[in-house]
Amino acid sequence: GEDVEQSLFLSVREGDSSVINCTYTDSSSTYLYWYKQEPGAGLQLLTYIFSNMDMKQDQRLTVLLNKKDKHLSLRIADTQTGDSAIYFCAERFRGSQGNLIFGKGTKLSVKP
Amino acid sequence: SAVISQKPSRDICQRGTSLTIQCQVDSQVTMMFWYRQQPGQSLTLIATANQGSEATYESGFVIDKFPISRPNLTFSTLTVSNMSPEDSSIYLCSGGTSGASYEQFFGPGTRLTVL
């Protein structure tokens, strides 16, 4: 079955880079996503990558995809206190109607 | 990107009652979904809302408990029926685009507490 794994916590200092990792099991995944959830809020789509790509950069965000190892990462450069949130990795696998399978989320804490 | 609104944003309900959550999308999306996020947990898909026909439910979710409507492309409702404290969760509406890329956006969620 489909499964998405993430580490639960990450703590970094302001100004450092954060790297949030995710592994998934379905090799037929077509799109992989990163969402951000701030306390008491809904999910904000940060970025996504198509499975035939290995990297995508969007301002401070860099997504790396290792399809062979089914490993996805999100790097946040120059992490700010406003980046403190829970980050969810999600996959959309081939043949689905479009619904996503989510990891449990990584809580990023940014210390000043 | 699609902007998705939900109402109510939160509610406190009594056991045995029902609550209907509304979801409105500002642009046409191909797909609409309803997810549940239990306290401190990840998101679990409840069902896919199909326009003009019965929703497609995931394992563990049934129409009698979570009736869903989608009368047009941009509007859907989810009812949580005969509520119990175990139904206390955040319920999120989601819409997915079509085309060369597939983006899926989420509403702000409805925080439900059942006493």
Side-chain angles (χ1 to χ4, degrees):
Chain A
E2 313 84 30
D3 202 8
V4 178
E5 300 280 346
Q6 300 178 240
S7 53
L8 294 181
F9 301 99
L10 177 65
S11 181
V12 300
R13 291 210 172 274
E14 193 173 17
D16 288 350
S17 292
S18 309
V19 179
I20 303 171
N21 294 301
C22 170
T23 57
Y24 59 98
T25 55
D26 194 327
S27 58
S28 64
S29 291
T30 54
Y31 291 92
L32 295 130
Y33 300 81
W34 285 104
Y35 286 88
K36 176 183 180 183
Q37 186 177 39
E38 296 182 72
L43 270 70
Q44 174 193 354
L45 176 62
L46 285 179
T47 187
Y48 63 95
I49 189 168
F50 189 51
S51 58
N52 68 354
M53 300 168 65
D54 52 20
M55 187 182 90
K56 182 178 180 181
Q57 187 155 1
D58 184 1
Q59 299 182 336
R60 291 192 298 125
L61 305 178
T62 303
V63 178
L64 295 178
L65 175 61
N66 181 329
K67 200 171 179 184
K68 174 176 168 288
D69 294 338
K70 301 190 188 70
H71 182 266
L72 182 74
S73 68
L74 174 69
R75 178 176 180 270
I76 305 172
D78 187 24
T79 312
Q80 304 297 308
T81 54
D83 295 324
S84 294
I86 299 176
Y87 290 80
F88 290 95
C89 168
E91 64 172 340
R92 179 195 184 205
F93 57 96
R94 195 183 307 277
S96 77
Q97 293 192 74
N99 53 287
L100 304 183
I101 308 297
F102 283 82
K104 293 189 186 305
T106 299
K107 184 172 183 179
L108 173 65
S109 298
V110 182
K111 300 186 188 315
Chain B
S1 65
V3 175
I4 302 178
S5 60
Q6 285 182 236
K7 57 181 181 182
S9 58
R10 58 179 61 231
D11 207 342
I12 300 173
C13 300
Q14 295 297 320
R15 182 195 297 260
T17 62
S18 298
L19 176 72
T20 295
I21 303 168
Q22 297 181 6
C23 175
Q24 180 73 53
V25 186
D26 73 337
S27 57
Q28 291 191 347
V29 295
T30 307
M31 312 294 294
M32 289 184 78
F33 308 93
W34 287 97
Y35 288 80
R36 180 173 74 182
Q37 185 179 25
Q38 292 179 300
Q41 300 296 313
S42 186
L43 280 76
T44 301
L45 180 67
I46 297 171
T48 302
N50 300 310
Q51 184 194 358
S53 65
E54 191 173 292
T56 306
Y57 290 85
E58 296 299 302
S59 175
F61 298 95
V62 295
I63 187 171
D64 290 347
K65 176 67 176 176
F66 297 103
I68 288 170
S69 77
R70 187 181 175 191
N72 57 56
L73 276 175
T74 60
F75 183 79
S76 178
T77 66
L78 166 75
T79 299
V80 186
S81 303
N82 188 25
M83 289 183 283
S84 66
E86 293 71 34
D87 295 321
S88 297
S89 284
I90 300 172
Y91 292 86
L92 296 116
C93 174
S94 174
T97 62
S98 62
S101 64
Y102 182 81
E103 295 178 310
Q104 192 162 332
F105 301 96
F106 284 80
T110 296
R111 188 178 296 268
L112 172 62
T113 302
V114 185
L115 302 176

